[in-house]
Amino acid sequence: MLPVFLVTFPFFALIAAGYGAARARILPLDAIPGLNTFVLYFALPCMLLRFGAGTPIGQLLDGSVALVWGVSALAVVAGVVVFTRNPRIGWNDGAFGALVAAFPNTGFMGVPLLVALLGAQAAGPMIITIAFDLVVTSSLCIALSRLDGAGGGAGHRGARQAARQALRGVLVNPMPWSILLGVLLSAARWRLPGPVERTVAMLADAASPVALFTIGAVLARSALLARGHGASAAVAAAMGTKSALPRKAPLADVLPVVGVKLLVHPLLVWALGQGAIALGLPLSSSALVVIVLVAALPSASNVSMLAERFGADNGRIARIILWTTVATFFSFPLAVGVLR
């Protein structure tokens, strides 16, 4: 296990550095959206483009990976929505709880971490999971979140409107387009012009450290707001919300989703993958290892921003993201040790 910890430690150390910088206000809270913008719109798309262009087209169009990942993601969404809804948790909170259970932090954390552990061949399956989660999982959960009060037709109209809004969000998100461009470059065996390729490489190299640092800063900001520290208009503006203080969710609403994310989700992907192999689907064991480890990653930090935007209980979502991120420092190396 020591070699695995030695590889994973710098990644979690960067998250801790971002957390500490934001908690100590060395990094101003209103600077965090700028870091997010840099990663989401510049560095991460360039990293995905570079990996996509350098990955064989067969790995990028692996239907077996898409099937196993898609079925497992939809099963997690359905299970969490059904089993966590209660008088405190309606469709809105239940849907975003399902999204935070099914959507791992693949872009910010998974791609650089798994490439460091498994090599560049891990990029293909990960790109498939990112595309599915961006286009299908997030759109489905946003649509489900609008079903509160659906006794008449208003809820269903709200769901359709939310689905359209989610799809518009996908269209303006540069990550799916960078994945598509990488697939096209791989299929045509083209390379970007030299100066463009070097620019893309420079931005891609910045993606991993800045993304990990930003994860920590986002978690610290959420913790500060949830605990009532610095609950001023400036802090609320940095969070992108009009309500400064999200309520502190009870553990009974948090721990089950943490367990689903870190235990149920990877086990489900492994079981479905083994079933697919037994049925003769062309799913390689190496690709299965990659997507199981993707499922074992902590929850995606951008779910908190989506929950805030759609009026869900962001205090609960932020706690789930924080707990899964902290627990993954211990659980992820164990998962790697079992699978490798």
Side-chain angles (χ1 to χ4, degrees), residues 5-336:
F5 273 109
L6 291 177
V7 174
T8 58
F9 176 81
F11 293 84
F12 289 98
L14 283 172
I15 294 174
Y19 188 92
R23 284 300 297 263
R25 305 297 178 90
I26 298 171
L27 175 72
L29 296 184
D30 56 7
I32 296 174
L35 289 176
N36 261 318
T37 298
F38 172 75
V39 174
L40 288 173
Y41 285 88
F42 297 93
L44 188 55
C46 288
M47 183 174 68
L48 293 174
L49 171 61
R50 183 168 66 170
F51 279 128
T55 302
I57 187 62
Q59 294 182 23
L60 296 173
L61 301 178
D62 192 331
S64 299
V65 168
L67 178 64
V68 170
W69 183 261
V71 171
S72 65
L74 296 179
V76 168
V77 168
V80 172
V81 168
V82 169
F83 290 108
T84 62
R85 288 185 66 223
N86 58 44
R88 295 186 304 273
I89 299 176
W91 278 106
N92 195 15
D93 292 333
F96 281 102
L99 182 59
V100 84
F103 199 158
N105 208 338
T106 318
F108 276 40
M109 184 176 181
V111 174
L113 178 56
L114 291 183
V115 167
L117 283 168
L118 305 176
Q121 67 273 13
M126 281 190 287
I127 288 173
I128 294 173
T129 67
I130 292 171
F132 188 93
D133 287 335
L134 286 173
V135 176
V136 180
T137 310
S138 58
S139 298
L140 171 64
C141 289
I142 290 172
L144 290 175
S145 74
R146 303 296 91 191
L147 292 179
D148 274 326
H156 295 289
R157 287 195 297 272
R160 289 195 296 270
Q161 182 179 359
R164 288 194 295 269
Q165 185 175 351
L167 289 175
R168 284 197 298 270
V170 170
L171 292 177
V172 300
N173 188 331
M175 286 197 291
W177 296 109
S178 66
I179 291 172
L180 178 59
L181 180 56
V183 170
L184 294 176
L185 290 173
S186 176
R189 297 183 180 180
W190 290 344
R191 295 188 60 178
L192 296 172
V196 176
E197 187 173 41
R198 287 190 292 273
T199 303
V200 168
M202 291 174 67
L203 285 169
D205 290 340
S208 176
V210 179
L212 294 168
F213 189 89
T214 303
I215 291 172
V218 169
L219 293 175
R221 182 184 62 185
S222 299
L224 285 170
L225 287 171
R227 295 173 186 176
H229 297 298
S232 63
V235 177
M239 188 71 179
T241 175
K242 295 180 180 179
S243 58
L245 291 175
R247 70 179 180 87
K248 189 172 183 178
L251 288 179
D253 294 343
V254 172
L255 292 182
V257 182
V258 173
V260 169
K261 179 71 214 72
L262 297 183
L263 185 62
V264 176
H265 193 192
L267 287 176
L268 180 60
V269 173
W270 180 84
L272 289 173
Q274 293 295 332
I277 293 172
L279 291 173
L281 294 180
L283 177 65
S284 68
S285 58
S286 60
L288 178 57
V289 167
V290 172
I291 60 175
V292 171
L293 291 178
V294 167
L297 291 167
S299 302
S301 55
N302 65 317
V303 178
S304 177
M305 293 181 285
L306 285 173
E308 188 67 43
R309 182 184 306 169
F310 286 92
D313 181 1
N314 193 41
R316 173 175 175 248
I317 299 303
R319 291 189 81 188
I320 292 169
I321 295 170
L322 177 61
W323 282 49
T324 57
T325 304
V326 172
T328 304
F329 179 75
F330 305 98
S331 64
F332 189 81
L334 291 174
V336 175

